[in-house]
Amino acid sequence: TSTVIPVFGVDATDSAKQLINEGKMTGTIKQDADGMAEAICTIVQNLVNGKTMFDSVAAEKVVENWRVNIPYSTYLGN
């Protein structure tokens, strides 16, 4: 009898995808680097230009007026 331990990773690397497809890893999360960079650039531009920090950031992404949620996606195999 073998015990299965679910293993998850981040960044959806090619090696992680291969392990998932081989059944050796459960899943991985792909972070949205472009979304993170866009949010950071918008916030910096707002602060430099004297605007409120989250001006032009989608309201549904702003949490409690102090952080921004950036979407991510899961990868669980083919």
Side-chain angles (χ1 to χ4, degrees), residues 13-25 75:
T13 61
D14 289 339
S15 57
K17 290 178 183 180
Q18 180 179 344
L19 290 170
I20 292 165
N21 292 332
E22 293 172 1
K24 297 178 181 177
M25 189 170 164
Y75 181 85

Side-chain angles (χ1 to χ4, degrees), residues 34-58 61-63 65-70:
D34 292 335
M36 286 186 250
E38 182 180 337
I40 291 167
C41 288
T42 298
I43 291 167
V44 169
Q45 287 175 341
N46 287 341
L47 294 174
V48 167
N49 293 318
K51 297 180 180 179
T52 59
M53 184 166 42
F54 297 123
D55 191 41
S56 300
V57 176
K61 293 182 180 179
V62 178
V63 179
N65 214 18
W66 66 275
R67 71 177 182 153
V68 178
N69 278 348
I70 304 297

